[in-house]
Amino acid sequence: ELVYNFWSLAHKELTREGTNLKWDGHFYHLQDVMEDCLQKYNHKAYECDDRILVIEDKPEVTAVAEIVEHSLAIDVIRYNHHSLKGELDAKKSILLALGTELEPRRRELQALNKQLSEDVFFMLNNVNLRHNNCNESDASKYKETVAQMTSDQLEEWYDELYQMMLLAILLLDNVDRTKKVKELKEKIIGDATNG
């Protein structure tokens, strides 16, 4: 944020009418590098009252990244990076890793949100992730609808699944928090009854 604010001050001086200062393309390249670095770590720069504020771009991504193992956390953040646009194999790998994370807690997720659980695991098994759903010679796994999807359409479904998986992980993480709140409620209600 500090570097971005210095860059912004320099930009205002360089573009001020009547200035004799000159610059070349490297000045704007620095902004591109800063934007790329921010995106890599799920942050974005916003101009606010003549200052640049750097804040989380997608808080749900950061929340999940803080819950899961470090190696998976990097992939959770990287999933939305522009460098993965159109990279189905890389996205597929991340989705499979998230699926591996969710699988042992499938019943627990089912109890919390049956529809979400069913949708997540349906997608994992039927949109060319866990199984080759595009191979006609394997009739048990083949899905004509999936086989006929363009890469862009399949990527859209992968992105939807990614969002559902983030929600599932956050729901599972909230179980302990809900128990703590329930205990606090019981104490407060007990205080009121005894007081």
Side-chain angles (χ1 to χ4, degrees), residues 1-8 31 34-35 38 45 52 54:
E1 187 173 290
L2 179 66
V3 172
Y4 215 122
N5 275 288
F6 280 133
W7 182 91
S8 180
Q31 184 184 29
M34 289 186 298
E35 289 292 331
L38 290 175
I52 302 294
V54 174

Side-chain angles (χ1 to χ4, degrees), residues 63-64 67 105 108-109 112 166-182:
V64 170
I67 298 168
R105 301 185 73 186
E108 189 179 353
L109 179 59
L112 292 170
L166 293 181
L167 176 59
I169 291 169
L170 290 172
L171 276 172
L172 289 165
D173 183 58
N174 198 49
V175 170
D176 288 337
R177 193 173 296 108
T178 301
K179 288 177 188 174
K180 289 178 187 176
V181 170
K182 182 180 178 188

Side-chain angles (χ1 to χ4, degrees), residues 122-180:
F122 175 85
M123 297 280 284
L124 280 168
N125 291 319
N126 292 284
V127 292
N128 214 37
L129 289 164
R130 286 183 171 171
H131 309 291
N132 182 348
N133 303 118
C134 297
N135 183 359
E136 284 186 82
S137 64
D138 186 356
S140 66
K141 305 281 190 262
Y142 179 71
K143 309 293 181 211
E144 183 178 353
T145 300
V146 175
Q148 292 178 355
M149 285 184 188
T150 65
S151 293
D152 288 344
Q153 290 170 323
L154 192 56
E155 185 172 14
E156 284 179 32
W157 284 114
Y158 284 6
D159 294 349
E160 289 294 330
L161 176 58
Y162 170 75
Q163 292 298 324
M164 291 188 302
M165 294 172 106
L166 293 181
L167 176 59
I169 291 169
L170 290 172
L171 276 172
L172 289 165
D173 183 58
N174 198 49
V175 170
D176 288 337
R177 193 173 296 108
T178 301
K179 288 177 188 174
K180 289 178 187 176

